[in-house]
Amino acid sequence: MARDGFFTGLDIGTSSIKVLVAEFIDGSMNVIGVSNVKSSGVKDGIIVDIDAAAKTIKTAIEQAEEKAGIVIEQVNVGLPANLLQIEPTQGMIPVTSESKEIKDEDVESVVRSALTKSITPEREVISLVPEEFIVDGFQGIRDPRGMMGIRLEMRGLIYTGPTTILHNLRKTVERAGIQVENIIISPLAMTRAVLNEGEREFGATVIDMGGGQTTVASMRAQELQFTNIYSEGGEYITKDISKVLKTSMQIAEALKFNFGNADIEEASETETVQVEVVGENSPVEITEKYLAEIISARVKHILDRVKQDLTRGRLLDLPGGIVLVGGTAIMPGVVEVAQEIFETNVKLYVPNQVGIRNPMFANVISLVEYVGLLTEVDIIAQQAVSGEEYLRRKPIDNETPSLSFDRTPAPAPRVAPQPNPIPVENTIEVPLPVEEENHEQKQKLGDRVRGIFGSMFD
């Protein structure tokens, strides 16, 4: 059951940083503020420039505060699947109270006993999710509090991540003048929010096609089975268009947005668009179908890589099929291409929240839903993890000079309070059509294209 109150999610993406504020009332989530700011200081979902990322987060927070009419003091931050590890764990304690009734303290103690599992110094426990409790041998208990017993056991999953990535994440958010309430594993939150009960139980895969990367998460039997990140996304499609057509990134992005289609069969062979090309005095005319060939090549390349991993993990035939989210998934033809590649049921997930019914907001929505729907047992477990990890790691150095932000509170209720190697970019080569080299094919801009791109060509 959802907890009543305000919750804020922060999604730090490669291409954009999103903040969402929602209020839970009687189990219903109502979005009251959202912001979307172009990202900086982030590469492949990992913070590479703390100051630059902090400035962008601050801007996104301020915009969300203005729309929501509240002051944000704490955020729930999404952590990408980079180098995420999942391990089973279990703990056992004797119930020491005279009444032998299991209390909150016992649940916390059994979680702490499960955290004694050896973790290497370069890794840190992000979360522990209890799967079941066992009281005196009786299994399958979700919440043992109030029960009587002599021995309490717990079985669950430990999620760990690189200490450096987690430190940089906390440091950046705190530089922006905000406290981290929880670090949420994005693929875990995404699968729980996007998939329905049957899909989570029998199995399905969520593919988040973002701007700078593509994240894949498969769930079966209510557990994450596989998660991975591929350092290719919508920005790579724009780069391909720019390089193949020898045009600017600005024009390439506009071509993708206004005329892009990932399905070659659906693109027009007769409709043309003229493109300003570097080194040419006059615009070059191309067909929408040729533009689709450039786009399709990259989309297929990304999804083929995903298919190889899903096939290797025997996850391609999950009954729930494939669910697409993310800004790149919105492009016409992406669902059709995915169906062709995966040869299974593919659908596009669209959030049902009023005002933000766009797949690009699915991740930040899932962060808030995940936190709002945490059970009391989940919260106790997370508090145990936070306490243990605080003792294990050194506190963040707050004496380091931080950005100076003027945070004048609005008159409203207050909300309670990674460095991967940079991959070498691989450009899919699509040869320019012979017609483009023929100057006779270069024509003046049509009325439709002039209205959209006129300012770019002036």
Side-chain angles (χ1 to χ4, degrees):
M1 181 177 178
R3 298 176 288 155
D4 289 349
F6 294 92
F7 300 95
T8 301
L10 171 62
D11 175 23
I12 304 175
T14 303
S15 60
S16 66
I17 291 178
K18 304 177 185 69
V19 175
L20 184 139
V21 184
E23 182 180 14
F24 279 82
I25 302 176
D26 296 331
S28 177
M29 185 178 101
N30 303 304
V31 176
I32 61 175
V34 65
S35 64
N36 184 21
V37 178
K38 184 174 176 58
S39 188
S40 60
V42 184
K43 177 70 175 179
D44 296 330
I46 301 299
I47 295 170
V48 295
D49 186 330
I50 290 178
D51 284 342
K55 288 180 180 178
T56 309
I57 291 172
K58 173 183 176 292
T59 301
I61 290 288
E62 289 178 341
Q63 290 183 9
E65 285 179 331
E66 182 179 357
K67 294 177 181 178
I70 64 173
V71 174
I72 299 171
E73 295 180 345
Q74 292 184 332
V75 292
N76 298 280
V77 189
L79 181 74
N82 301 62
L83 304 178
L84 179 69
Q85 290 184 1
I86 308 172
E87 301 178 36
T89 188
Q90 59 184 12
M92 189 275 290
I93 62 165
V95 180
T96 56
S97 64
E98 292 184 3
S99 65
K100 298 302 178 183
E101 181 176 317
I102 299 171
K103 302 179 181 179
D104 290 1
E105 294 79 8
D106 298 306
V107 173
E108 184 172 352
S109 295
V110 77
V111 171
R112 288 182 184 275
S113 71
L115 290 171
T116 57
K117 185 179 180 69
S118 178
I119 304 296
T120 57
E122 68 275 7
R123 301 193 68 80
E124 180 180 322
V125 176
I126 307 166
S127 179
L128 188 152
V129 178
E131 292 183 297
E132 69 168 345
F133 291 89
I134 303 171
V135 179
D136 293 347
F138 292 96
Q139 302 179 353
I141 299 171
R142 300 298 301 172
D143 186 350
R145 294 175 303 164
M147 297 182 178
M148 293 185 64
I150 299 175
R151 183 180 65 186
L152 175 63
E153 300 175 67
M154 186 217 65
R155 294 174 183 169
L157 295 175
I158 283 182
Y159 296 82
T160 66
T163 301
T164 52
I165 291 178
L166 292 163
H167 171 85
N168 292 342
L169 184 63
R170 293 189 186 95
K171 189 76 171 181
T172 303
V173 174
E174 292 184 6
R175 282 279 183 93
I178 306 297
Q179 295 298 315
V180 176
E181 184 175 7
N182 291 293
I183 293 180
I184 308 299
I185 299 166
S186 291
L188 181 61
M190 177 72 77
T191 49
R192 289 192 177 183
V194 170
L195 303 179
N196 59 40
E197 183 68 23
E199 291 168 338
R200 291 194 298 269
E201 182 62 35
F202 293 98
T205 298
V206 178
I207 302 178
D208 182 5
M209 304 184 71
Q213 60 188 19
T214 297
T215 303
V216 177
S218 296
M219 177 170 274
R220 180 171 52 193
Q222 305 290 339
E223 296 178 7
L224 273 180
Q225 302 292 319
F226 169 80
T227 183
N228 196 18
I229 285 183
Y230 306 85
S231 57
E232 297 176 74
E235 291 180 356
Y236 284 72
I237 297 174
T238 303
K239 291 177 183 178
D240 289 345
I241 296 172
S242 175
K243 290 185 177 182
V244 172
L245 299 182
K246 297 182 177 63
T247 189
S248 70
M249 288 288 290
Q250 183 182 12
I251 294 176
E253 181 69 19
L255 286 168
K256 181 182 74 172
F257 181 79
N258 291 287
F259 302 101
N261 195 320
D263 189 355
I264 299 175
E265 299 300 323
E266 294 296 321
S268 172
E269 295 186 31
T270 58
E271 293 290 332
T272 61
V273 58
Q274 295 187 4
V275 183
E276 189 177 70
V277 175
V278 175
E280 298 290 346
N281 296 325
S282 302
V284 172
E285 185 178 85
I286 65 168
T287 65
E288 291 184 1
K289 183 172 185 177
Y290 180 64
L291 178 63
E293 291 175 356
I294 303 173
I295 295 172
S296 178
R298 174 62 69 176
V299 172
K300 288 182 177 179
H301 178 70
I302 295 172
L303 298 181
D304 276 334
R305 293 178 62 190
V306 175
K307 180 181 180 179
Q308 291 175 9
D309 286 340
L310 293 180
T311 301
R312 191 178 300 116
R314 299 181 179 179
L315 298 168
L316 195 57
D317 57 350
L318 294 178
I322 307 290
V323 182
L324 298 180
V325 298
T328 302
I330 306 172
M331 183 185 302
V334 171
V335 173
E336 288 74 16
V337 170
Q339 286 177 332
E340 175 186 342
I341 290 176
F342 295 117
E343 298 178 313
T344 187
N345 178 50
V346 178
K347 64 181 180 181
L348 178 67
Y349 172 79
V350 179
N352 59 6
Q353 295 295 327
V354 177
I356 51 172
R357 294 181 179 178
N358 189 319
M360 69 185 298
F361 289 101
N363 197 18
V364 71
I365 293 173
S366 71
L367 298 177
V368 178
E369 285 189 355
Y370 183 88
V371 174
L373 295 174
L374 285 176
T375 66
E376 291 183 0
V377 169
D378 291 330
I379 295 171
I380 293 172
Q382 194 57 41
Q383 288 173 344
V385 170
S386 300
E388 286 291 310
E389 289 307 313
Y390 180 79
L391 295 175
R392 293 179 186 178
R393 66 174 183 264
K394 294 181 180 180
I396 293 177
D397 181 14
N398 290 322
E399 296 180 0
T400 304
S402 59
L403 301 177
S404 177
F405 296 146
D406 180 15
R407 302 184 55 79
T408 304
R414 303 177 68 86
V415 178
Q418 338 174 330
N420 284 343
I422 298 177
V424 178
E425 176 185 326
N426 55 351
T427 302
I428 299 177
E429 297 294 337
V430 181
L432 281 171
V434 177
E435 291 79 13
E436 290 185 23
E437 299 177 0
N438 187 343
H439 290 284
E440 294 180 0
Q441 297 296 326
K442 301 174 185 175
Q443 301 177 2
K444 296 181 180 179
L445 293 175
D447 293 338
R448 178 166 70 113
V449 180
R450 183 181 294 110
I452 299 173
F453 299 106
S455 61
M456 299 181 184
F457 297 154
D458 288 340

